[in-house]
Amino acid sequence: MRRLLFPVAAAGLLLAACAPVPVRKPADEAALAAQAAREGQLADVHQWTLEGHLAVSDGHDGGSGSLRWMQDGERYDFELRAPITGKSFRLSGGPGGALLEGIEGGPLRGTDAEALMRKALGWEVPLDDLRAWVLGLRAAGAPAELRFGEHDLPSLLTQDGWTVDYRAWDQAHQPPLPQKVFASRPPYKVKLSIDSFRLGPAPCADCGR
């Protein structure tokens, strides 16, 4: 099956734009306590919707597009639309398996969402861990190392072989939520720029998507 690679266009260039080098200070007692408090506040948040832009690369090829990601407990709906062609794909599923739609050759089903994306799109995206990382949390099940920036918010997280670089935070939210999340495990890169983040159930207009 031929891999589907969305062209890296405006969204990818936006994510790659130069940005100031963030503060990277080692974890101290105060920063770890602040992180534990944030994680406690978000521990019971199992439903959320984010919209923004996603860019991925394997060091040679890549793609980008506008992203809408809805999470409801273990269930998810992940839709990406290319900025120029308007072509889109949708990944949805939960504990019972995953469905990838909008690809050449028709929909694909499987038990592993990450494997489906790897097979059909050629993308290496750590979806399970990313679900925690986009909230600024450590993913469960593996040791994590943290460094902190301003206001004792995570600046760099290393976990499961990936380095997660937090370039910006939205402090209008309480607790604060990330705005730019860059994850890398050479040669793979995943760059997420979040325009809006809504915690809680999706509005009724989104039901059944």
Side-chain angles (χ1 to χ4, degrees):
M1 178 177 293
R2 186 171 65 86
R3 290 176 174 178
L4 173 65
L5 291 172
F6 288 7
V8 178
L13 294 175
L14 173 65
L15 292 171
C18 293
V21 177
V23 175
R24 309 270 198 226
K25 66 179 182 180
D28 58 23
E29 187 175 344
L32 289 172
Q35 178 67 7
R38 283 189 66 258
E39 292 178 337
Q41 288 176 281
L42 293 167
D44 294 327
V45 175
H46 304 297
Q47 296 174 305
W48 47 261
T49 303
L50 73 77
E51 296 185 11
H53 294 87
L54 178 76
V56 299
S57 171
D58 64 3
H60 299 285
D61 297 311
S64 67
S66 60
L67 172 68
R68 181 182 180 86
W69 181 355
M70 291 187 292
Q71 192 74 36
D72 184 1
E74 294 297 315
R75 301 201 60 80
Y76 52 85
D77 192 308
F78 185 99
E79 186 173 358
L80 188 74
R81 182 176 296 275
I84 296 177
T85 65
K87 183 181 293 185
S88 66
F89 77 83
R90 179 182 177 188
L91 178 70
S92 58
L99 172 65
L100 182 60
E101 302 171 276
I103 59 174
E104 184 178 336
L108 277 181
R109 294 182 182 273
T111 58
D112 186 330
E114 293 181 19
L116 282 184
M117 292 186 73
R118 191 180 305 118
K119 178 181 179 181
L121 306 176
W123 293 1
E124 190 73 27
V125 180
L127 286 173
D128 286 343
D129 287 347
L130 193 61
R131 189 174 71 185
W133 295 341
V134 296
L135 291 168
L137 309 179
R138 294 167 283 192
E145 181 179 338
L146 282 166
R147 297 180 76 85
F148 292 88
E150 296 179 353
H151 309 291
D152 284 334
L153 292 168
S155 176
L156 199 70
L157 184 156
T158 305
Q159 189 172 29
D160 272 346
W162 288 80
T163 298
V164 185
D165 185 354
Y166 292 99
R167 295 293 182 91
W169 287 79
D170 181 358
Q171 295 189 59
H173 278 278
Q174 288 302 319
L177 293 171
Q179 285 184 311
K180 294 187 184 297
V181 183
F182 295 178
S184 63
R185 188 183 70 186
Y188 304 109
K189 295 180 180 179
V190 179
K191 297 184 177 183
L192 177 60
S193 178
I194 300 169
D195 297 327
S196 68
F197 214 141
R198 183 173 58 245
L199 302 183
C204 199
D206 294 330
C207 296
R209 286 177 59 91

